[in-house]
């Protein structure tokens, strides 16, 4: 059982290098399995977005009034 848990944990640990490079502030991750969407908010609590754009690879970039990126919405997240 411990080996299976360790192998499962390895899937999450591969994200550590990415997390290291993010700004050092609380952020939120939420995965909606029914919609297969990953929501990433770079502020906790989340900042409101006033604008957004959809990229060619189905990622919605959300911006605030100052044109700062406040979050990402990753569509079809499980297929990445």
């Amino acid at each position: 059982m411990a080996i299976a848990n360790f192998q499962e944990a390895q899937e999450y640990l591969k994200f550590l290098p990415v997390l290291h490079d993010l700004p050092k502030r609380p952020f939120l991750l939420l995965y909606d399995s029914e919609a297969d969407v990953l929501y990433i908010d770079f502020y906790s609590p989340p900042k409101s977005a006033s604008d957004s754009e959809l990229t060619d690879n189905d990622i919605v970039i959300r911006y605030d009034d100052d044109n700062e990126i406040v979050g990402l919405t990753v569509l079809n997240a499980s297929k990445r």
Side-chain angles (χ1 to χ4, degrees), residues 2-19:
I3 291 174
N5 289 339
F6 178 73
Q7 289 171 337
E8 183 177 329
Q10 292 299 309
E11 289 297 310
Y12 296 101
L13 293 175
K14 68 183 179 184
F15 294 106
L16 287 178
V18 174
L19 295 175

Side-chain angles (χ1 to χ4, degrees), residues 7-75:
Q7 289 171 337
E8 183 177 329
Q10 292 299 309
E11 289 297 310
Y12 296 101
L13 293 175
K14 68 183 179 184
F15 294 106
L16 287 178
V18 174
L19 295 175
H20 180 267
D21 295 333
L22 290 175
K24 306 304 184 241
R25 62 178 173 243
F27 66 97
L28 297 171
L29 293 173
L30 174 67
Y31 177 64
D32 180 341
S33 60
E34 286 186 30
D36 193 22
V37 175
L38 176 65
Y39 300 96
I40 305 169
D41 290 301
F42 296 129
Y43 290 89
S44 179
K47 285 177 107 177
S48 295
S50 59
D51 196 10
S52 64
E53 68 177 296
L54 177 63
T55 68
D56 291 338
N57 57 351
D58 289 337
I59 296 175
V60 178
I61 304 171
R62 301 187 317 268
Y63 300 93
D64 67 6
D65 290 332
D66 297 322
N67 211 31
E68 177 184 3
I69 297 174
V70 296
L72 303 173
T73 302
V74 181
L75 307 175

